[in-house]
């Protein structure tokens, strides 16, 4: 699993697409078509859907993936049930949390950048205004 602070913009866009369409079934190929300009979307979806696993017993840890594939149960004529993974995917609660955390951190970083720009520009503006007034007083 990729920590949310290592998610790239395209990763977040994939998760946001799944979040925006969470009220309907989203086919795996629909996401591939939506982001067709990127060649690694299939790999990214595989990474997002792979949960972390315990070492012993080797089983998946719940709620450790950003998206999940849906499963359906197929019953044979003999009455044996078998679970089969479908091509439909959806976002998990962890995926929604990752989007919220990413957006919050992005807003914080943006605020810091704006404050930094203002703090760099203000002394220049003050100097220019002081130069203008001193030149005006000199040539008056």
């Amino acid at each position: 699993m990729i920590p949310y602070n290592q998610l790239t913009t395209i990763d977040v866009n994939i998760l946001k697409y799944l979040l925006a369409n969470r009220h309907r079934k989203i086919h795996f190929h629909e996401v591939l078509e939506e982001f067709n300009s990127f060649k690694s979307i299939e790999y990214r979806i595989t990474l997002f859907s792979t949960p972390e696993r315990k070492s012993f017993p080797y089983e998946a840890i719940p709620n450790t993936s950003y998206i999940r594939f849906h499963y359906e149960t197929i019953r044979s004529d003999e009455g044996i049930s078998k679970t089969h993974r479908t091509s439909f995917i959806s976002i998990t609660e962890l995926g929604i949390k990752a989007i919220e955390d990413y957006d919050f951190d992005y807003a914080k970083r943006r605020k810091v950048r704006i404050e930094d720009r203002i703090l760099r520009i203000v002394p220049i503006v003050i100097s220019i205004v002081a130069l203008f007034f001193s030149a005006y007083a000199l040539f008056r």
Side-chain angles (χ1 to χ4, degrees):
M1 183 181 76
I2 305 169
Y4 85 92
N5 57 359
Q6 293 180 3
L7 293 176
T8 63
T9 305
I10 186 64
D11 296 336
V12 173
N13 286 340
I14 293 168
L15 292 174
K16 284 184 178 182
Y17 178 79
L18 293 173
L19 179 63
N21 296 298
R22 72 174 178 244
H23 299 295
R24 65 180 184 86
K25 285 189 168 185
I26 301 171
H27 199 275
F28 175 74
H29 294 292
E30 184 180 336
V31 178
L32 293 178
E33 290 173 12
E34 181 70 25
F35 298 96
N36 62 0
S37 60
F38 300 96
K39 303 299 180 207
S40 65
I41 298 300
E42 190 171 345
Y43 177 69
R44 291 172 193 263
I45 290 175
T46 303
L47 282 178
F48 293 160
S49 65
T50 306
E52 291 182 5
R53 298 196 171 271
K54 294 179 185 178
S55 58
F56 185 80
Y58 191 70
E59 61 183 21
I61 300 172
N63 205 18
T64 56
S65 63
Y66 295 126
I67 64 173
R68 72 174 148 258
F69 279 90
H70 293 263
Y71 288 85
E72 66 182 2
T73 303
I74 300 172
R75 188 164 277 190
S76 67
D77 294 337
E78 294 82 29
I80 300 172
S81 297
K82 188 175 186 181
T83 306
H84 173 69
R85 188 174 98 170
T86 65
S87 297
F88 294 104
I89 58 176
S90 63
I91 191 166
T92 63
E93 294 299 319
L94 185 65
I96 295 171
K97 181 186 176 302
I99 291 172
E100 291 171 350
D101 292 345
Y102 183 88
D103 287 344
F104 180 76
D105 286 348
Y106 179 79
K108 249 184 8 181
R109 288 190 309 265
R110 185 171 184 257
K111 182 180 174 185
V112 167
R113 281 195 314 262
I114 290 171
E115 289 173 354
D116 186 49
R117 287 179 186 157
I118 289 172
L119 291 176
R120 287 182 184 196
I121 292 173
V122 167
I124 295 170
V125 171
I126 291 172
S127 298
I128 290 172
V129 169
L131 178 65
F132 174 74
F133 281 125
S134 64
Y136 177 73
L138 180 68
F139 293 117
R140 195 172 109 185

